[in-house]
Amino acid sequence: MELNEILSLLAEHYKLKGVLNSLAGELDLNYKLTIDNKTTFIVKISRDSETIASINFQEALLLYLKEKDIEGEIPQLIPNLSGNYQKEVFLNGKKAILRVFQWMDGRLLSQTNPILSNLRYGLGNHLGQIAKSLQGFTHPFAQRNFKWDLSQCLWVERHLGLFTANELKLINPFISTFKTNQKSYNKLPKSIIHNDANDHNIVVSHALIQPKIIGIIDYGDACFSQTINDLAIACCYGIMGTTDPLTCCLPIVKGYHESHPLSEQELEHLYILIGMRLVVSLTKAALNKSENPENKYLLISEKPAWVLLEKWKKTSSKEAHYSFRKASGYKAHPYVGKFEQWVKTKQFSLSHLFPDQKKQDAIHLDLSVSSLWIENEAAFNDLTYFQYKIERLQEAHPHKIIAGGYLEPRPLYTSEDYDIPSDQGPISRCVHLGVDFWLPSKTPVHTLLDGTVVMALDRKGEKEYGGFVVLEHQVNNFNFFTLYGHLDPESVAAHKVGDALKKGTLVGLLGSKENNGNWAPHLHFQILLDLLDYTDDFPGVQTYQSQEIWADLCPDPNQMFQLQSLKPQIKGAQKDLLDYRKKHLGKSLSLQYQEPLHIVRGHGAYLIDQNGQKYLDTVNNVAHVGHEHPRVVKAGQQQMAVLNTNTRYSTQQPQQGCQGTHRHLTQRFRGGSFCKFWIRSQ
């Protein structure tokens, strides 16, 4: 009955006839009107008399944006026969406001899968354009008491009794931090914002490959508030259901900043504002359970919001802040420039770090994933063999210290033990953040400048640090830290947190494989501009995807020594390789993928690129026992050192291979008869 009444009103006031389908909504009645299976409109009916001012506000806002140059679409109001954009009508005997909007063709972000970085970037960029365009717009209704305004979010404290003790453990830290930072937050730039860029208000193109943001609908929650709140809300809903919410935030932040630049002060509050939007949403959901239990739309984000809030609480607020800074074009840490300027005025020597070595220079050791020196996994995991090679290299360069490794992607860390989950599958923490100095065990290591002990312990475990020390250094008007890993635990046991160590003081002795985490003896030396939230550990490797952030947080230690031999080694650029291949190789040797992979290593079922990223190989003629199986490689090396020819001669090797295969097959498949054919696989 109600639908027929609405259709009559549409015909009377808009001359529109078609089919109505109900849509979800919080306050308004929303319908999709389809005419002749193609032309489509949104019909909105507001029955609350208090919404008249809101409707007038939205109308003024949309007409203002209509005149702005915004990439994408803005909701378009359709005038009625009187030339107005709203009509007072009676529905079921009650007064209501009827409005019609042009349908924005596409699908909702909530219905889009997968949501990749380019789409998140587009969301941030479009929202930033809207924020920039609204800078000159004012309206009296925008400044009102409104529970969805994040600047007024502390109303949630009155309803904390709705939550369990475990839920409060997630909620209370965000409330407490927001209150602590409220004074500086209140000083942030304000403007009228959309204020509700949730995944049910974001329209995406129908394209399955590289879909784009079409526009953002529903300006019913628009208000005058801190401009950064808009980005926080978009981040909330743009990262729900993700494995790594912080990483998924970054393209949204980057896209927004490139449309509407963010200040460093605004970025300081973004992490906590994302958390507070989740708190507000969950509080509203808890209230709505009792007030409107039948309205499922009001509860639509509750479960994923709890999951996200738990993940967000586990995310380091400092790491998030530094990541947001980097995504916005700033140095990840505000002290990067200060450190670089300070270190240029100082002179440090390797002999200060290792006084008994009396060596001033280094010989670079390439342990990158593309290095042939380290051979295969079996070779670099054989510490006796690895140490033998180190000693031979040292004999060839007796007056230099073997060193290197800053920002090297290393195969030593591409095992699954170093994998972390991401929204593109497991990724490897393989990029080395310090410099390694390969010296004998018991080599003394000394401080380069005055410092205070902030960590000193034995980090036991396979491929751990062993003896581990971190010192804090206060210089000029900032501080930084130096990290010393793989020491002999007994040599650092006397250090206590808070101890002051003067320049030249013994930090510790290099450990052996028995006590340094099972490594060949060496010092892992790293510079840190922030400890983040670590109290007894700090990452020495990180992912290639986050390398730029961590390079700011952990500057190159060679800035202290200024040695040419320790500068990060730049391998051949992919473009140069492709240009050379195009010029010198035949066209029959084709490449695959729009961006060809630069593969430098194989391991088991995987191929590994120059950045240490692993790819499951389902394309090539994979060896039956995996790429570069150590036993196969060893057998091949041994045979090629003696004889490498074809089978037209009488040799023992094919017979020996057949006998071994025959024994294996007959044991597994008893009673069978077999004939062996040798095939060649790449």
Side-chain angles (χ1 to χ4, degrees):
M1 181 64 181
E2 189 174 73
L3 289 181
N4 290 334
E5 198 171 347
I6 296 171
L7 286 170
S8 297
L9 292 170
L10 289 170
E12 178 183 353
H13 299 291
Y14 288 86
K15 280 193 175 180
L16 294 176
K17 296 181 180 180
V19 178
L20 281 177
N21 295 102
S22 181
L23 300 173
E26 182 178 0
L27 297 175
D28 295 335
L29 295 177
N30 299 310
Y31 299 91
K32 178 180 180 181
L33 175 67
T34 306
I35 302 173
D36 298 330
N37 294 320
K38 50 183 180 179
T39 306
T40 315
F41 300 91
I42 292 180
V43 177
K44 296 180 77 71
I45 298 175
S46 306
R47 295 185 293 187
D48 187 347
S49 60
E50 295 180 0
T51 64
I52 300 297
S54 174
I55 291 172
N56 292 332
F57 168 48
Q58 293 175 54
E59 179 180 315
L61 188 155
L62 292 174
L63 293 176
Y64 180 87
L65 286 178
K66 184 180 179 180
E67 304 303 318
K68 299 297 180 179
D69 183 19
I70 297 176
E71 185 178 347
E73 298 182 23
I74 297 296
Q76 297 296 311
L77 283 160
I78 304 299
N80 55 40
L81 297 180
S82 301
N84 299 314
Y85 294 107
Q86 55 182 276
K87 182 64 181 179
E88 185 178 286
V89 297
F90 284 88
L91 185 64
N92 292 334
K94 294 182 179 179
K95 188 183 294 185
I97 300 295
L98 172 64
R99 290 176 294 162
V100 177
F101 293 79
Q102 184 69 48
W103 179 264
M104 196 177 288
D105 189 40
R107 51 186 167 145
L108 297 179
L109 185 66
S110 60
Q111 300 168 346
T112 305
N113 187 33
I115 300 173
L116 302 180
S117 294
N118 64 324
L119 193 58
R120 291 191 172 95
Y121 172 89
L123 167 60
N125 194 263
H126 183 72
L127 190 65
Q129 291 181 57
I130 293 172
K132 181 179 180 180
S133 299
L134 286 173
Q135 291 300 298
F137 179 66
T138 60
H139 195 281
F141 185 79
Q143 301 187 50
R144 64 192 188 277
N145 292 326
F146 188 40
K147 288 185 175 180
W148 286 110
D149 178 359
L150 273 178
S151 68
Q152 304 176 36
C153 65
L154 292 180
W155 66 265
V156 300
E157 289 186 293
R158 300 194 299 271
H159 304 283
L160 294 179
L162 296 169
F163 300 107
T164 66
N166 287 334
E167 290 170 342
L168 288 174
K169 289 179 181 178
L170 296 177
I171 288 173
N172 283 333
F174 290 102
I175 296 175
S176 176
T177 304
F178 179 83
K179 292 169 72 173
T180 299
N181 299 330
Q182 195 170 13
K183 185 176 180 180
S184 58
Y185 168 72
N186 288 338
K187 297 178 182 178
L188 296 180
K190 295 181 179 181
S191 63
I192 291 177
I193 59 175
H194 178 278
N195 200 46
D196 194 19
N198 73 65
D199 50 352
H200 293 274
N201 285 340
I202 301 164
V203 181
V204 179
S205 68
H206 289 295
L208 296 180
I209 299 175
Q210 299 292 325
K212 298 183 181 298
I213 298 295
I214 299 296
I216 300 175
I217 59 175
D218 193 352
Y219 282 70
D221 285 356
C223 65
F224 182 81
S225 191
Q226 279 74 5
T227 310
I228 188 66
N229 295 349
D230 226 10
L231 176 58
I233 294 164
C235 286
C236 264
Y237 295 99
I239 62 177
M240 278 196 187
T242 60
T243 301
D244 181 1
L246 175 56
T247 298
C248 291
C249 259
L250 302 185
I252 304 175
V253 175
K254 181 179 181 180
Y256 187 98
H257 178 78
E258 291 185 2
S259 288
H260 185 56
L262 296 155
S263 70
E264 295 178 82
Q265 292 73 29
E266 287 176 303
L267 291 170
E268 291 176 4
H269 294 269
L270 183 54
Y271 169 83
I272 200 66
L273 290 172
I274 292 172
M276 282 308 299
R277 172 65 183 206
L278 290 169
V279 171
V280 169
S281 180
L282 290 167
T283 305
K284 288 285 285 185
L287 287 168
N288 289 330
K289 280 182 183 179
S290 57
E291 296 173 2
N292 302 285
E294 75 289 345
N295 192 335
K296 303 302 181 184
Y297 176 79
L298 300 178
L299 308 177
I300 200 165
S301 298
E302 182 185 18
K303 288 183 179 179
W306 278 117
V307 174
L308 177 56
L309 187 66
E310 185 172 6
K311 289 182 178 180
W312 201 241
K313 183 175 179 293
K314 293 177 181 178
T315 301
S316 164
S317 60
K318 288 185 176 182
E319 184 178 349
H321 175 214
Y322 298 144
S323 299
F324 295 151
R325 286 178 57 91
K326 194 66 178 179
S328 302
Y330 299 105
K331 291 293 187 182
H333 197 286
Y335 288 173
V336 171
K338 289 183 178 182
F339 176 80
E340 291 175 348
Q341 290 299 316
W342 171 82
V343 80
K344 285 179 182 178
T345 66
K346 305 297 177 182
Q347 288 186 333
F348 297 94
S349 168
L350 293 183
S351 61
H352 296 153
L353 190 60
F354 308 106
D356 75 329
Q357 294 295 303
K358 297 179 174 57
K359 298 175 182 179
Q360 305 292 337
D361 201 1
I363 178 71
H364 179 261
L365 176 59
D366 183 3
L367 297 181
S368 72
V369 67
S370 56
S371 169
L372 298 179
W373 190 91
I374 55 177
E375 303 178 42
N376 58 21
E377 183 183 28
F380 62 68
N381 281 334
D382 183 341
L383 297 188
T384 301
Y385 177 56
F386 188 94
Q387 184 61 28
Y388 167 80
K389 293 174 68 177
I390 289 287
E391 291 169 358
R392 297 291 76 77
L393 182 62
Q394 188 68 79
E395 287 178 1
H397 303 275
H399 303 299
K400 296 183 179 182
I401 295 176
I402 300 170
Y406 182 66
L407 297 188
E408 261 184 0
R410 291 180 167 181
L412 287 68
Y413 312 113
T414 55
S415 73
E416 293 183 1
D417 293 338
Y418 288 90
D419 284 353
I420 60 174
S422 81
D423 289 86
Q424 283 74 48
I427 55 176
S428 297
R429 293 187 302 114
C430 63
V431 176
H432 194 250
L433 298 177
V435 170
D436 287 336
F437 296 94
W438 301 89
L439 291 163
S441 61
K442 301 300 181 181
T443 297
V445 180
H446 291 249
T447 61
L448 292 171
L449 63 164
D450 294 352
T452 303
V453 177
V454 293
M455 299 185 205
L457 64 151
D458 180 7
R459 288 203 57 81
K460 299 178 181 179
E462 180 70 11
K463 301 306 179 186
E464 266 287 0
Y465 278 119
F468 176 72
V469 174
V470 176
L471 303 179
E472 181 178 10
H473 309 283
Q474 187 70 43
V475 295
N476 297 347
N477 59 343
F478 75 100
N479 64 325
F480 70 96
F481 307 82
T482 51
L483 181 156
Y484 309 80
H486 309 303
L487 303 173
D488 183 334
E490 290 187 4
S491 71
V492 306
H495 296 315
K496 305 299 179 187
V497 173
D499 286 354
L501 301 186
K502 289 292 185 181
K503 177 182 177 179
T505 302
L506 178 69
V507 177
L509 306 178
L510 291 190
S512 64
K513 64 180 182 180
E514 288 78 21
N515 59 23
N516 74 352
N518 198 24
W519 301 91
H522 72 286
L523 172 71
H524 175 95
F525 180 67
Q526 189 170 330
I527 296 174
L528 327 172
L529 295 187
D530 199 307
L531 295 178
L532 302 177
D533 299 316
Y534 291 94
T535 57
D536 59 3
D537 191 13
F538 197 87
V541 289
Q542 268 300 340
T543 65
Y544 170 73
Q545 289 81 354
S546 62
Q547 174 178 314
E548 290 187 357
I549 298 168
W550 285 91
D552 282 354
L553 297 180
C554 301
D556 185 357
N558 191 41
Q559 291 188 60
M560 303 186 81
F561 306 111
Q562 293 298 311
L563 297 175
Q564 185 67 31
S565 55
L566 285 184
K567 289 185 177 180
Q569 303 296 298
I570 300 174
K571 303 296 177 71
Q574 175 79 325
K575 183 180 183 301
D576 295 337
L577 294 175
L578 295 178
D579 289 346
Y580 185 91
R581 182 186 180 104
K582 183 177 181 180
K583 183 177 180 180
H584 296 285
L585 297 185
K587 293 183 178 180
S588 61
L589 301 174
S590 62
L591 290 169
Q592 294 183 321
Y593 313 112
Q594 289 180 342
E595 296 183 14
L597 300 176
H598 181 190
I599 300 299
V600 298
R601 184 174 290 268
H603 176 66
Y606 296 94
L607 293 174
I608 306 174
D609 71 12
Q610 80 278 18
N611 299 316
Q613 302 307 291
K614 296 185 293 187
Y615 300 86
L616 181 65
D617 188 359
T618 62
V619 176
N620 296 282
N621 299 322
V622 185
H624 297 163
V625 290
H627 288 291
E628 285 59 65
H629 192 290
R631 289 172 59 187
V632 175
V633 170
K634 183 177 181 180
Q637 289 172 330
Q638 290 175 334
Q639 179 56 50
M640 283 188 287
V642 177
L643 179 65
N644 182 24
T645 186
N646 57 43
T647 57
R648 65 170 56 96
Y649 306 108
S650 175
T651 60
Q652 291 182 336
Q653 284 73 24
Q655 178 182 337
Q656 292 172 343
C658 284
Q659 288 173 342
T661 306
H662 184 80
R663 284 195 301 270
H664 176 75
L665 291 175
T666 52
Q667 290 173 1
R668 183 156 187 167
F669 305 101
R670 298 183 183 278
S673 178
F674 304 94
C675 178
K676 272 70 93 181
F677 292 89
W678 292 98
I679 62 172
R680 179 179 178 274
S681 180
Q682 295 177 352

